[in-house]
């Protein structure tokens, strides 16, 4: 039978991918779990010893962890808020009749393709530089004192850079969703004398609920691990002000060479990501049925 | 479809859209402008917008440092290589799940996606140690492997989404006519799948080109792609804004252009068809 043949072939074709991903998942994870129970420093790799859950106790009670966790949540939350609160009106605007819309769309979407190291450097040096950056000049134009972004508001500076990179994503998804909205429904509402605001609240917003959820979940997955922007601009500082979980683990592993502690931190990060992933998988999974 | 819109309203939305679009694009525009300035003009206060001594000297300098070509080549090899290998592994897998689904297919798909959610930083330590012990630090092969595995779930998902949309009837008709699986693949499926394959390829090339976490941590010089090259400008003593801008422009130009071409597929690809 052809179907029998197809089934066998199907399994054979699927195996390499499944096997590779399984190894990719299980080997590093198992090693991380193993290392997390060791006192293991790369500076002194001769003397390593089993310490049980000591690393977790140390990592979780380290004040740096709480700061990093707070920074991570502030970063993710703020970027989500900015991209959705700005992305929605922007998408609504681009859904209108706009002369040269395709050019505007190209301008709006461009930041998404800029590699993080480039956008971090351009923002840090060309825009946010306290003396000769473009923002400093704009501030002096209106008679304000230029902000020394990376000293006075470092986390905000990182948030702005990351939000600029992700605003196009939110806008593009929401715009695509808007363009699939039922025009007749909107027309009917207009004819019934509904105001633009109530059309938005009762028709458009519910229509956008699903894409907004998708934006939140996908952005969260990427934002939880923001690294390059921090690495290039602030190196986590000043102090711990811009250290997120990803950067904290990085600094413990490759700056302090404390493998045991970094591994424990890595597992904490895996757990945090999995809590988020749980919700994403459910939503994407539901979509799969349709 | 076409609702009546007053001319005034069109002008208002046009003005607003262009203003916002320009503001969002400004950092990139400013970078490109700066790349054509002398270092002195790049620092000038008040900033010089269009009236300055235009020069392509920075581009020449970036080229001359010879680093640029080396890193650009690494970017092409690493991003291209990892994308190609991921496609070779993913196409059969996605094909099999889309056209020969079993009861477990959905679970397998979700499991694959869940490996993408494992934060890179959580497994950086073991990967770094494995790379160190096997002499794979700062090798292109190592980066190709890591980026390939990292993007594999997304490649499979995207291909699966595209394959799934190919009508089954056509395949059944071909099978009725006695087409073998091989012929079915070559003459029926491939032509219909080409657009999906192409956009998956491009999108993953973009993702791999911009990937910074692994490239920054696993390469230093020999295999370092443009992400690392650009990061080297972050040291305080290297404050050459015009040259930084020229290097940055060269690093992102090909990807921005690719990205513009694939923006429609981007939505479908990155949301796995959840938003149409």
């Amino acid at each position: 039978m052809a179907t029998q043949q197809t089934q066998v072939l199907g399994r054979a074709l699927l195996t390499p991918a499944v096997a590779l991903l399984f190894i990719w998942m299980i080997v590093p994870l198992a090693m991380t779990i193993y290392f997390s129970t060791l006192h293991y420093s790369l500076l002194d790799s001769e003397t390593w010893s089993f310490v049980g859950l000591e690393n977790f106790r140390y990592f979780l009670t380290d004040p740096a962890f709480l700061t990093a966790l707070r920074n991570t949540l502030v970063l993710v939350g703020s970027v989500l808020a900015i991209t959705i609160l700005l992305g929605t009106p922007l998408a609504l605007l681009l859904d209108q009749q706009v002369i040269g819309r395709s050019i505007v769309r190209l301008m709006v979407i461009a930041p998404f393709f800029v590699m993080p190291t480039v956008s971090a450097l351009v923002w840090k040096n060309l825009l946010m530089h306290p003396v000769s950056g473009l923002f400093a000049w704009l501030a002096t134009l209106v008679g304000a004192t230029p902000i020394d972004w990376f000293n006075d508001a470092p986390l905000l500076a990182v948030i702005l850079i990351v939000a600029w990179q992700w605003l196009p994503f939110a806008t593009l998804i929401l715009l695509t969703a808007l363009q699939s909205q039922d025009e007749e429904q909107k027309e009917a509402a207009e004819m019934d004398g509904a105001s633009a605001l109530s059309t938005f609240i009762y028709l458009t917003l519910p229509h956008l609920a699903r894409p907004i959820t998708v934006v939140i979940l996908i952005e969260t997955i990427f934002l939880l691990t923001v690294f390059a922007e921090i690495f290039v601009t602030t190196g986590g500082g000043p102090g711990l002000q811009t250290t997120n979980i990803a950067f904290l683990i990085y600094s413990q592993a490759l700056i302090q060479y404390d493998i045991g502690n970094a591994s424990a931190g890595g597992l904490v990060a895996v757990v945090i990501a999995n809590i988020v992933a749980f919700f994403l998988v459910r939503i994407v999974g539901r979509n799969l049925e349709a | 479809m076409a609702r009546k819109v007053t001319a005034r309203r069109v002008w208002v939305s046009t003005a607003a859209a262009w203003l916002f679009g320009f503001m969002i694009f400004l950092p990139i525009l400013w970078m490109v402008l700066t790349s054509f300035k002398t270092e002195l003009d790049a620092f000038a206060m008040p900033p010089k917008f269009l009236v300055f001594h235009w020069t392509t000297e920075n581009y020449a300098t970036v080229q001359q440092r010879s680093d640029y070509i080396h890193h650009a080549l690494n970017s092409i090899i690493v991003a291209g290589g990892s994308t190609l290998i991921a496609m070779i592994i993913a196409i059969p897998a996605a094909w099999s799940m889309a056209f020969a689904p079993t009861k477990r297919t959905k679970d397998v798909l979700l499991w694959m996606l869940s490996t993408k959610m494992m934060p890179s930083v959580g497994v950086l330590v073991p990967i770094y140690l494995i790379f160190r012990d096997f002499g794979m630090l700062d090798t292109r092969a190592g980066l190709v492997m890591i980026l390939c595995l990292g993007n594999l779930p997304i490649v499979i998902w995207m291909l699966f989404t595209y394959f799934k949309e190919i009508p089954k009837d056509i395949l059944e008709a071909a099978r009725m006519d006695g087409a073998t699986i091989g012929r079915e693949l070559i003459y029926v499926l491939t032509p219909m799948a080409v657009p999906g394959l192409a956009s998956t390829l491009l999108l993953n090339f973009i993702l791999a080109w911009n990937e910074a976490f692994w490239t920054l941590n696993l390469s230093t010089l020999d295999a370092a792609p443009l992400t690392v090259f650009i990061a080297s400008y972050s040291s305080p003593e290297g404050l050459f804004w015009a040259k930084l801008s020229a290097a940055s422009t060269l690093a992102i130009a090909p990807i921005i252009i690719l990205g513009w071409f694939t923006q429609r597929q981007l939505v479908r690809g990155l949301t796995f068809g959840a938003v149409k």
Side-chain angles (χ1 to χ4, degrees):
Chain A
M1 275 304 283
T3 47
Q4 185 84 42
Q5 192 194 352
T6 315
Q7 294 287 338
V8 174
L9 184 68
R11 201 160 302 164
L13 294 178
L14 187 57
T15 309
V18 171
L20 274 175
L21 280 175
F22 187 72
I23 296 169
W24 167 235
M25 179 190 75
I26 209 72
V27 172
L29 198 61
M31 283 176 77
T32 307
I33 292 172
Y34 172 64
F35 286 138
S36 70
T37 63
L38 300 180
H39 172 78
Y40 181 20
S41 167
L42 279 184
L43 293 176
D44 179 22
S45 49
E46 297 301 307
T47 58
W48 52 272
S49 55
F50 181 77
V51 292
L53 296 177
E54 190 65 17
N55 284 319
F56 287 94
R57 201 180 61 84
Y58 182 80
F59 186 86
L60 290 171
T61 56
D62 185 353
F65 167 68
L66 284 180
T67 311
L69 183 64
R70 197 190 57 105
N71 288 342
T72 306
L73 295 178
V74 170
L75 181 86
V76 175
S78 313
V79 173
L80 280 176
I82 295 173
T83 54
I84 289 165
L85 291 180
L86 283 180
T88 310
L90 201 56
L92 284 168
L93 189 60
L94 286 174
D95 191 39
Q96 307 294 311
Q97 275 190 32
V98 166
I99 300 165
R101 178 160 66 181
S102 54
I103 299 172
V104 177
R105 187 162 46 193
L106 291 184
M107 294 201 292
V108 168
I109 191 182
F112 190 69
F113 303 114
V114 176
M115 59 175 71
T117 43
V118 165
S119 63
L121 278 176
V122 166
W123 275 74
K124 182 183 181 183
N125 294 319
L126 301 185
L127 302 177
M128 289 174 160
H129 192 279
V131 179
S132 32
L134 204 54
F135 289 178
W137 174 71
L138 287 173
T140 51
L141 272 193
V142 296
T145 318
I147 303 167
D148 187 356
W149 288 91
F150 290 99
N151 275 317
D152 297 341
L155 188 58
L156 179 62
V158 172
I159 287 170
L160 288 179
I161 297 173
V162 178
W164 175 75
Q165 289 183 281
W166 283 93
L167 179 62
F169 177 75
T171 308
L172 192 64
I173 304 268
L174 295 173
L175 178 61
T176 309
L178 280 177
Q179 286 174 340
S180 72
Q181 199 181 358
D182 189 355
E183 282 292 325
E184 280 174 23
Q185 220 181 15
K186 273 202 290 193
E187 260 174 63
E190 224 165 274
M191 283 210 265
D192 288 348
S195 69
L197 185 68
S198 55
T199 310
F200 174 72
I201 292 175
Y202 295 109
L203 284 181
T204 308
L205 215 50
H207 181 74
L208 288 184
R210 184 181 176 82
I212 286 178
T213 324
V214 171
V215 169
I216 290 177
L217 292 163
I218 289 180
E219 278 192 22
T220 306
I221 293 293
F222 284 91
L223 295 176
L224 277 174
T225 55
V226 163
F227 175 78
E229 292 84 345
I230 296 172
F231 178 81
V232 169
T233 55
T234 65
L240 289 169
Q241 286 187 59
T242 55
T243 298
N244 64 353
I245 299 272
F247 200 84
L248 180 67
I249 296 163
Y250 163 80
S251 69
Q252 273 167 348
L254 296 186
I255 297 175
Q256 296 167 26
Y257 296 115
D258 187 343
I259 299 302
N261 200 20
S263 296
L267 286 176
V268 173
V270 170
V271 169
I272 293 173
N274 271 292
I275 295 171
V276 179
F278 174 76
F279 293 102
L280 177 63
V281 163
R282 280 169 68 100
I283 292 211
V284 176
R286 197 177 308 151
N287 186 61
L288 205 64
E289 311 276 5
Chain B
M1 172 67 198
R3 279 184 298 159
K4 264 189 117 168
V5 179
T6 60
R8 191 174 151 266
R9 198 169 140 188
V10 173
W11 281 109
V12 170
S13 8
T14 299
W18 275 86
L19 179 70
F20 281 118
F22 181 76
M23 276 166 60
I24 291 169
F25 193 62
L26 184 65
I28 298 174
L29 184 66
W30 190 238
M31 176 192 81
V32 176
L33 281 179
T34 308
S35 74
F36 289 108
K37 293 177 183 175
T38 60
E39 291 295 347
L40 212 60
D41 279 345
F43 274 104
M45 213 44 182
K48 299 188 173 179
F49 285 94
L50 290 169
V51 188
F52 53 82
H53 176 66
W54 285 72
T55 173
T56 53
E57 176 194 320
N58 301 308
Y59 286 92
T61 316
V62 169
Q63 298 270 17
Q64 273 162 22
R65 282 173 66 163
S66 83
D67 296 309
Y68 176 76
I69 296 289
H70 168 71
H71 294 292
L73 206 64
N74 279 341
S75 270
I76 294 170
I77 292 171
V78 169
S82 65
T83 305
L84 282 180
I85 297 174
M87 294 290 284
I88 291 170
I89 301 166
I91 290 171
W95 180 88
S96 114
M97 287 192 286
F99 295 110
T102 64
K103 271 175 281 174
R104 284 177 306 164
T105 295
K106 197 185 141 191
D107 296 331
V108 172
L109 270 170
L110 290 178
W111 165 74
M112 284 178 167
L113 193 59
S114 75
T115 65
K116 180 67 193 165
M117 287 158 202
M118 187 163 62
S120 313
V121 69
V123 292
L124 170 64
V125 172
I127 297 291
Y128 185 85
L129 294 178
I130 292 175
F131 267 52
R132 191 195 59 182
D133 293 347
F134 285 83
M136 276 155 62
L137 280 177
D138 205 16
T139 62
R140 290 178 196 146
L143 288 184
V144 165
M145 199 182 82
I146 285 291
L147 296 195
C148 169
L149 287 168
N151 283 335
L152 193 56
I154 293 197
V155 181
I156 294 176
W157 262 86
M158 285 180 64
L159 289 175
F160 173 79
T161 314
Y162 287 115
F163 285 166
K164 201 79 178 146
E165 283 170 15
I166 295 175
K168 284 259 167 38
D169 308 1
I170 295 179
L171 289 184
E172 265 159 37
R175 238 172 257 177
M176 293 278 218
D177 292 345
T180 61
I181 286 180
R183 293 184 143 269
E184 181 184 304
L185 264 178
I186 296 167
Y187 294 108
V188 186
L189 208 57
T190 310
M192 299 188 74
V194 163
L197 292 178
S199 50
T200 309
L201 193 94
L202 288 174
L203 260 168
N204 281 278
F205 187 78
I206 293 171
L207 285 180
W209 184 281
N210 288 341
E211 209 295 317
F213 182 80
W214 291 115
T215 52
L216 284 175
N217 283 318
L218 298 178
S219 70
T220 48
L221 189 67
D222 288 349
L226 288 168
T227 44
V228 180
F229 168 70
I230 295 295
S232 72
Y233 278 85
S234 64
S235 57
E237 67 269 26
L239 274 183
F240 297 110
W241 287 4
K243 285 177 199 68
L244 161 70
S245 300
S248 301
T249 306
L250 287 172
I252 66 169
I255 286 311
I256 290 209
I257 292 163
L258 260 187
W260 280 340
F261 280 117
T262 52
Q263 51 168 314
R264 289 202 177 278
Q265 289 83 350
L266 178 89
V267 175
R268 219 155 58 125
L270 281 178
T271 61
F272 310 118
V275 177
K276 299 232 158 106

